[in-house]
Amino acid sequence: MSQPSPNSDGVDRLLADFFKSQMPQPWPSAPVPEGSLAEPSSLRAAPEPRRSVDPGRRPRLTLAVSVALLLGALWVMSAGSTPGPRPLPARPGAGPNDLISGGSAKLPREFDRKDKEEDRDKTGLKHGPITFP
Amino acid sequence: MPNASAKGSGPPSGSARRAEFESLYELYSREVWSLAYARWMDSDLALDVTQEVFLRLWKQWEAGDEILNPRAWLLRVARNLAEDYAKSAFRRYGTQPPELLNGVRSRQPEPTELLEKAEIFAQLRAVLEELSQADRDVLTLRYGLDYDANTIAELLNVNVTAVHMRLSRARQRLAERLATHEDFNPDLTGEKGTKP
């Protein structure tokens, strides 16, 4: 292997100096990708990890509350608009006191109990006191 | 060269992934920079390409792709990015002035030695730009990173003999070209104006 010439050595040194001078000094640290959930490195602090937030959570919650309020209002309204006690159909042997205490009104004939079965056949409705759940 | 990327069974944890990322950066970022630099002889551009290459690596991981040969992948992406990136940058901003490329920013009067060195470097740069990219790849890895011929051959996926030939040819060409320049002295410690 031939000895390198002084000129060759000079070129080597020149090239080494040149390329090394082109390299960034100090060498930069690794980039921090966006959204990285890694812990902070010793060279460079990583940004705080983002919390994953469901963007549709709040609207859904609002909708659920609205629907619940609406249903509650409807229930309250239906309960509040319940009519007073209906006049009960006359029972066999029922007197005026059975309708309203102290009252003297009588039921029309069509509410007479002895016609009940006949009426049931016609209307299919069940006569009797109305009960609430 | 196995550059395949495959879907992994499950990604490691965030901290483990970050540690692996920084480890790969420490191992290969200079090589990536060297190849990017050899393309356009622009240090800042090479650094931008290097950062972008590693960010893309992270995005690949986020997409669920496990890269079997990170080194080969990084170098391949670096070459592609350097090719595309510099073209778009040059299209927008034009070429950089030589004094900026040398990294010597003269806001105040520089010592004479530094000025002379900067001038020599400018001449050297002009000659290097005339060489082929393959020659510049070998020179950058050899003189920038102090890699031996075997390592360069493995990195560039070429024959070791080819590396030796390119080195020898490039050095000879440089010596011839620089010898024609007046005031050039390859030995920087030598006197000014001495021709070899």
Side-chain angles (χ1 to χ4, degrees):
Chain A
M1 187 174 180
S2 60
Q3 289 285 341
S5 62
N7 188 25
S8 177
D9 286 345
V11 172
D12 284 345
R13 279 201 298 276
L14 177 62
L15 288 169
D17 287 346
F18 174 78
F19 282 107
K20 286 183 170 55
S21 72
Q22 297 301 299
M23 299 185 72
Q25 295 292 343
W27 191 255
S29 54
V32 179
E34 288 184 6
S36 168
L37 298 180
E39 299 166 2
S41 68
S42 59
L43 297 176
R44 186 171 178 176
E48 291 182 2
R50 295 181 191 172
R51 284 190 174 184
S52 59
V53 178
D54 184 5
R57 184 183 174 201
R58 178 168 285 186
R60 285 200 293 269
L61 186 61
T62 305
L63 180 62
V65 169
S66 301
V67 170
L69 288 174
L70 182 62
L71 291 175
L74 288 173
W75 184 80
V76 168
M77 287 171 61
S78 64
S81 64
T82 304
R86 295 187 183 179
L88 299 175
R91 298 174 188 171
N97 292 337
D98 288 342
L99 296 175
I100 298 177
S101 176
S104 61
K106 293 184 178 179
L107 287 173
R109 181 176 277 282
E110 52 267 30
F111 288 100
D112 199 344
R113 188 153 182 92
K114 58 184 172 184
D115 297 326
K116 178 181 174 184
E117 289 189 23
E118 189 177 339
D119 288 339
R120 185 185 293 171
D121 294 337
K122 289 179 182 177
T123 64
L125 293 176
K126 185 179 180 180
H127 295 275
I130 301 173
T131 59
F132 292 94
Chain B
M1 182 174 293
N3 295 337
S5 60
K7 292 285 184 180
S9 58
S13 64
S15 58
R17 182 61 91 187
R18 179 66 191 178
E20 183 182 0
F21 180 77
E22 292 192 357
S23 174
L24 289 175
Y25 183 85
E26 185 60 30
L27 284 171
Y28 305 127
S29 60
R30 289 167 181 80
E31 294 177 358
V32 171
W33 180 91
S34 297
L35 290 187
Y37 178 81
R39 182 63 186 90
W40 297 106
M41 301 293 292
D42 186 334
S43 180
D44 291 336
L45 178 63
L47 189 58
D48 288 344
V49 170
T50 302
Q51 302 284 304
E52 180 65 24
V53 165
F54 280 89
L55 287 175
R56 292 197 179 195
L57 172 66
W58 185 267
K59 289 179 182 176
Q60 286 286 118
W61 286 350
E62 281 189 332
D65 290 339
E66 288 299 325
I67 298 169
L68 300 178
N69 191 340
R71 189 188 198 188
W73 188 91
L74 289 167
L75 297 178
R76 179 167 54 87
V77 173
R79 285 187 184 279
N80 294 337
L81 269 182
E83 195 67 32
D84 299 335
Y85 194 28
K87 287 178 182 176
S88 63
F90 285 168
R91 206 164 42 237
R92 288 198 301 270
Y93 305 114
T95 56
Q96 298 277 351
E99 55 271 17
L100 290 180
L101 294 177
N102 283 338
V104 177
R105 310 202 187 281
S106 53
R107 294 183 178 180
Q108 54 189 355
E110 297 282 350
T112 306
E113 292 180 2
L114 287 177
L115 286 173
E116 289 180 353
K117 194 171 183 177
E119 186 179 347
I120 293 173
F121 279 177
Q123 296 171 2
L124 178 59
R125 174 186 301 283
V127 177
L128 286 170
E129 288 176 352
E130 295 176 3
L131 300 177
S132 67
Q133 185 179 351
D135 289 347
R136 287 202 300 269
D137 287 345
V138 173
L139 290 172
T140 307
L141 293 170
R142 171 68 183 86
Y143 294 103
L145 301 184
D146 295 327
Y147 280 9
D148 58 18
N150 292 328
T151 306
I152 295 173
E154 178 190 354
L155 195 149
L156 297 178
N157 197 24
V158 297
N159 199 328
V160 177
T161 306
V163 173
H164 282 295
M165 287 179 59
R166 287 178 183 173
L167 271 174
S168 175
R169 189 177 59 209
R171 285 161 59 191
Q172 183 179 0
R173 194 174 305 172
L174 279 168
E176 291 171 357
R177 289 298 307 273
L178 292 172
T180 61
H181 283 275
E182 194 172 313
D183 299 334
F184 170 69
N185 186 355
D187 184 359
L188 293 176
T189 60
E191 294 180 358
K192 179 179 177 179
T194 305
K195 288 190 175 182

